[in-house]
Amino acid sequence: MKIWNNLWLPTILGCFLIVDWTMAIIRSRTIQPIMNSQGLIAAGDSLAEHRLSAFLHLPPSEVLEAVKNQRFAQQLKAASPLVKYLLVIKMVGAVGGKSDFIKYMPDALVPYVPPFELAFGSKFDTQDLNRKRWTSEQAAVVFDDLIEKNVSFSSMIPFLLSGFTCAVASSLSAESFQQLAKALKQKNAPLKEDQLSCLEKCLTFHGLASEVEDFPPELVLSSG
């Protein structure tokens, strides 16, 4: 019996692997491309099973139409990163203006928006920006333009505030810098070590050491 196992078990397992590999090829060849919003919405329950090739010929306008469906927008969480990125790129080509691009972007696709697509953030509606959970890299692209647009720090969500750069913080007046610090603390914005270091330097530069209670607690620990 031991000899049988040694000789035949690897052969049997190998056969199963070959069958599985062959079926994978057959399935990949029989996958029909998705060509419209109805087909995309219908695929929502099985997005994780779809290969990137199924979406390649999908018109951008059809993607935009599909993401307006709330149930489908939630199902996008199951899609692969490559599919999510492709759908984002298609949405860029579907909208007439940058503001619509942000307005209709599902939460599941937000992390896959290339930061360069967020340049000229002054063209975006601040309320639409405030509805998304941006990465710090994405927020950094938008932050400078929002400052130029005179958007108050207190009106920004934590994920936008976390995009402040040292260049911007250093250019603020003492009053504006203090407003930024207060907003960062009140909104509990996630901060990186280099941002904390920058805040500490600006605090010293503006002579605001006595106002340290207005700053994020992480900065107080760092200063102490």
Side-chain angles (χ1 to χ4, degrees), residues 161-175:
L161 285 169
S162 66
F164 88 87
T165 61
C166 196
V168 171
S170 301
S171 68
L172 297 174
S173 65
E175 181 181 358

Side-chain angles (χ1 to χ4, degrees), residues 184-223:
L184 290 170
K185 179 180 180 179
Q186 292 170 355
K187 303 293 181 71
N188 195 27
L191 299 174
K192 296 180 179 180
E193 288 188 13
D194 60 327
Q195 290 175 313
L196 289 170
S197 176
C198 178
L199 288 175
E200 186 174 351
K201 291 176 181 178
C202 291
L203 181 149
T204 303
F205 176 78
H206 290 297
L208 296 172
S210 61
E211 308 293 334
V212 72
E213 68 276 3
D214 291 333
F215 288 76
E218 302 95 328
L219 177 64
V220 176
L221 293 173
S222 174
S223 299

Side-chain angles (χ1 to χ4, degrees), residues 67-203:
V67 298
K68 295 177 183 178
N69 182 292
Q70 293 185 358
R71 185 169 183 271
F72 175 72
Q74 290 293 322
Q75 292 172 324
L76 281 170
K77 296 176 182 178
S80 71
L82 282 176
V83 169
K84 290 176 181 177
Y85 182 76
L86 176 64
L87 295 180
V88 167
I89 299 304
K90 285 185 177 290
M91 283 190 67
V92 173
V95 296
K98 290 286 189 179
S99 58
D100 288 339
F101 170 64
I102 297 300
K103 181 178 180 180
Y104 296 114
M105 183 63 61
D107 292 342
L109 299 185
V110 168
Y112 298 89
V113 176
F116 65 81
E117 292 292 352
L118 299 172
F120 307 106
S122 58
K123 295 182 179 180
F124 302 134
D125 185 283
T126 306
Q127 291 185 350
D128 289 337
L129 288 170
N130 271 332
R131 295 189 182 101
K132 310 300 180 182
R133 185 167 180 151
W134 305 105
T135 65
S136 57
E137 291 76 14
Q138 292 169 326
V141 177
V142 180
F143 194 85
D144 292 9
D145 290 317
L146 292 180
I147 298 301
E148 293 181 10
K149 197 177 178 181
N150 294 319
V151 176
S152 66
F153 299 121
S154 61
S155 68
M156 297 184 194
I157 61 170
F159 300 107
L160 280 179
L161 285 169
S162 66
F164 88 87
T165 61
C166 196
V168 171
S170 301
S171 68
L172 297 174
S173 65
E175 181 181 358
S176 295
F177 174 73
Q178 195 166 8
Q179 291 173 355
L180 170 62
K182 287 182 178 180
L184 290 170
K185 179 180 180 179
Q186 292 170 355
K187 303 293 181 71
N188 195 27
L191 299 174
K192 296 180 179 180
E193 288 188 13
D194 60 327
Q195 290 175 313
L196 289 170
S197 176
C198 178
L199 288 175
E200 186 174 351
K201 291 176 181 178
C202 291
L203 181 149

Side-chain angles (χ1 to χ4, degrees), residues 49-63:
E49 302 172 11
H50 281 73
R51 297 173 183 271
L52 184 67
S53 57
F55 305 90
L56 290 178
H57 302 291
L58 186 61
S61 59
E62 296 298 317
V63 176

